[in-house]
Amino acid sequence: MFSFGIQDAIDILLTAALLTYIYQLMRASRSGRIFTGILIFVVVWIIVSHIFEMRLMGRIMGQAVNLGGIALIVIFQDDIRSFFFRLGSGQRSSRLFRFFSQRKEVDMSNPNILPIVMACINMSRQKVGALIVLERSMSLKEVVQSGEIINAAISQRLLENLFFKNSPLHDGAVVIAQKRIRSAGCILPVSHAENIPKHLGLRHRAALGISQQSDCLAIIVSEETGSISVAMDSKFHLRLTSDGLEKLLRENW
C-alpha cells in the first residue's frame, strides 16, 4: 500500500531545493542547457523503465546513465568545484544555505580600500578602462600566474599607471591578494552567460567569469562610459558611485 508521510515530503523538498540551487549555479554558464538536457534524459529514462516497463530501452538508457557519470565530471568540473566551494565555505551568496551565515561587519579600518577607490574614481573621470580583481577566501594563484608578477604595495598611482593606455599591461586584469598587488596583465575566464546586457563589453564578461569560478570581487571601469561596476557572486553591481563602491568593498572585502 502506498503511503506518503512528512519524511517523504521533506525528502522531495530537499531534493527540489538542491536541484534548483545547482541549476541556478550553472545557469549563468554554458553548462545550464547541458544540465537541463540531462534532467530531461533522466526523466524520460524513469518513465520508460519504471512506468511503461520497456526493459530493452530502459537497459540501454540505464547503461548510458551509468557510463555518463565520468563524462559529467569532465563537463561540469568547473561547476562542481564552484559548488563544493560554496557549500563548504557557507558563503552569504549561497541561496540554499544563506540562512546559516551571518552578516559581515563593515571594516572601517582597512587602509587598502581608499587607494583602490580613488584610483577607480580618477580612471572613471578620464575614461580609462580597468579591471581589478580582489581575492577573498578562494585562492587566485592560477590567475596570478597568468600575468606579470609585481608583488607591490597597494598604491593609487601604481594602479593608475598599470591601466594607462600606453602601458603594455593595461589590457589585462590586476589581481590584489593578501594586501598586495600581486600581478598585472592577467587573463580571466570569459563568461558566456546569455543574460549579460549587450552594452557591456569584454571586461565585464571577464569580471563575471572570474566571479562565477571564485568568491572574488572584480571591479570594472568602463573605457566607453567611465562607469564603475563590480562583479560579485556571479552578479553585477552596475553604475556605482564612489560612496557605493567604498561601501561595497568595506562590507565584502
Side-chain angles (χ1 to χ4, degrees):
M1 181 178 178
F2 178 76
S3 61
F4 186 86
I6 298 177
Q7 185 177 356
D8 298 310
I10 295 175
D11 187 18
I12 294 174
L13 289 175
L14 289 177
T15 302
L18 180 61
L19 291 176
T20 301
Y21 172 75
I22 295 174
Y23 175 74
Q24 290 175 344
L25 192 64
M26 295 180 175
R27 184 177 58 181
S29 65
R30 289 178 296 180
S31 303
R33 293 186 177 181
I34 300 176
F35 181 72
T36 303
I38 292 173
L39 286 181
I40 294 174
F41 182 85
V42 171
V43 171
V44 173
W45 170 53
I46 293 174
I47 293 175
V48 168
S49 59
H50 295 282
I51 297 179
F52 293 105
E53 296 183 352
M54 298 179 180
R55 297 181 180 179
L56 180 60
M57 182 62 69
R59 288 182 180 178
I60 294 175
M61 297 182 72
Q63 289 298 321
V65 171
N66 294 332
L67 295 176
I70 298 176
L72 292 180
I73 295 176
V74 176
I75 295 173
F76 295 118
Q77 55 181 329
D78 292 334
D79 301 282
I80 293 173
R81 177 186 177 188
S82 178
F83 169 74
F84 282 109
F85 170 76
R86 294 177 186 275
L87 185 64
S89 63
Q91 293 179 42
R92 191 170 53 214
S93 60
S94 172
R95 295 184 181 182
L96 183 59
F97 303 101
R98 61 185 175 183
F99 51 87
F100 290 114
S101 61
Q102 296 179 352
R103 182 175 177 84
K104 185 179 179 180
E105 294 183 359
V106 177
D107 184 5
M108 299 302 295
S109 62
N110 191 340
N112 297 312
I113 290 179
L114 191 57
I116 298 173
V117 173
M118 293 303 298
C120 291
I121 293 173
N122 286 341
M123 290 186 289
S124 173
R125 291 172 180 171
Q126 301 172 22
K127 292 187 177 181
V128 175
L131 179 52
I132 304 173
V133 180
L134 308 180
E135 181 185 87
R136 291 202 282 181
S137 60
M138 190 172 184
S139 175
L140 297 175
K141 183 178 179 181
E142 295 180 0
V143 178
V144 170
Q145 293 176 346
S146 70
E148 296 292 331
I149 303 299
I150 295 179
N151 195 22
I154 298 175
S155 166
Q156 174 185 340
R157 291 185 178 181
L158 178 55
L159 287 172
E160 293 181 27
N161 285 331
L162 288 173
F163 290 109
F164 183 67
K165 293 183 179 180
N166 292 332
S167 168
L169 301 175
H170 79 281
D171 278 335
V174 167
V175 176
I176 297 178
Q178 300 174 352
K179 301 179 181 180
R180 306 277 292 180
I181 300 177
R182 291 296 180 186
S183 185
C186 299
I187 301 173
L188 303 183
V190 178
S191 173
H192 296 276
E194 299 179 353
N195 58 346
I196 299 178
K198 294 183 178 180
H199 68 275
L200 300 181
L202 187 60
R203 280 193 180 91
H204 289 80
R205 287 188 171 273
L208 187 63
I210 192 63
S211 75
Q212 291 171 347
Q213 296 187 11
S214 72
D215 66 336
C216 70
L217 301 177
I219 307 172
I220 316 104
V221 179
S222 174
E223 188 174 357
E224 290 75 20
T225 64
S227 63
I228 301 174
S229 305
V230 172
M232 179 179 68
D233 298 330
S234 304
K235 293 182 180 180
F236 281 122
H237 299 261
L238 301 173
R239 295 180 292 276
L240 293 173
T241 62
S242 59
D243 292 337
L245 176 61
E246 182 178 358
K247 181 181 178 182
L248 189 147
L249 294 184
R250 293 195 183 281
E251 290 179 348
N252 297 281
W253 187 54

